[in-house]
Amino acid sequence: MAGGPIVILTGAGISRESGLETFRDKDGLWSRVSIDEVATPEAFARDSERVHAFYNARRRQLLNPEVQPNAAHRALAELERGYPGDVLLVTQNIDDLHERGGSVAPQHMHGELLKARCTCCGRTTPWRDDLATTTRCPACDHSGGMRPHVVWFGEIPLSMERIQQALICCELFISIGTSGQVYPAAGFVAEARAAGARTVELNLERSVGPGLFDQQVEGSASEIVPAFVASLLTVTNTQ
Ligand code: BV8
């Protein structure tokens, strides 16, 4: 498979060693707050300030100088640079650690914590401060309509057409740091497999039993991702 197209899907596990929490690990975000309280459009309509507080706290944490990309983020950027074929990086994460680790155009299918969107004019604006119900939109000057540019449960993920196109042509699908519980992302491995791709999971623990992944490597992302990328680049560039 010298240089065939690659699709990579990452989840919260790749950012864990950078100091950001995962969702479904025992000490994860959803063990402390319920999805229905903070991660649905209904929650935002019911109590916008509560939802803003949840994302404001995560935005501040992400902007803490101690939170930096780790070796796994940097290894994927190296793969993008050194691999002869196409590499599409798709992330469920709303942090910017892939970009800061050197990746060129990660597809944030669940949105981005450092952007805000106006529900009145639809414009998306880079955003590093707190959001509140009184925040004015820089584009249309309307206040009261700004929300995190994040895909909540029940909302349609972003970049789906581009992702589906890449899945049907890819020859290698790599899933990193995701429990594979949220759809449509969790269905990507089956779609890639149906298209004839080799499927690999790099995760702290196996997310599913045998059958969907041809290879499952267990370990911490900052260790197993650089090793996997190094071996892939060696094999590809010596063929
Ligand atoms: C959609 C953004 C239609 C915000 C997120 C009933 C009603 C309504 C909807 C549904 C329903 N039933 C099913 C659905 C669909 C629903 C869904 O899947 N629900 C689940 C709960 C069953 N999905 C949706 O609603 C989606 N929209 O379906 O629209 C549609 C679809 C297609 C086309 C057209 C229309 C929207 C889903 C997006 C929701 N938004 N987040 C925010 O971040 O706050 S989801 C949330 O979960 C995050 O984005 C997160 O990334 C994502 C997945 O979680 P993971 O990243 O996998 O994190 P997790 O903690 O679970 O796992 C971490 C893993 O890392 C573990 O395996 C762990 O072992 C590993 N790990 C830990 N440490 C390390 C490590 N690995 C390596 N190294 C380490 N150090």
Side-chain angles (χ1 to χ4, degrees), residues 11-14 16-17 22-25 30 35 39 54-55 58 92-94 110 150-157 160 177-184 202-205 219-221:
I14 199 170
R16 184 70 196 84
E17 292 160 273
T22 61
F23 292 87
R24 295 171 187 82
D25 286 329
W30 298 151
I35 287 172
F54 175 66
Y55 286 97
R58 289 174 67 192
Q92 300 172 90
N93 301 340
I94 61 176
H110 291 164
V150 160
V151 177
W152 287 321
F153 286 94
E155 295 187 320
I156 298 176
M160 284 303 294
T178 179
S179 64
Q181 315 234 330
V182 173
Y183 288 85
L202 309 177
N203 208 48
L204 195 61
E205 56 205 15
S220 293

Side-chain angles (χ1 to χ4, degrees), residues 12 28 36 38 41-42 59 63 85 96 114 119 150 168 187 193 196 209 239:
D36 295 334
V38 294
E42 295 77 14
R59 190 177 303 107
L63 294 173
D96 65 338
L114 299 183
T119 55
V150 160
I168 57 178
R193 193 175 181 77
Q239 278 180 344

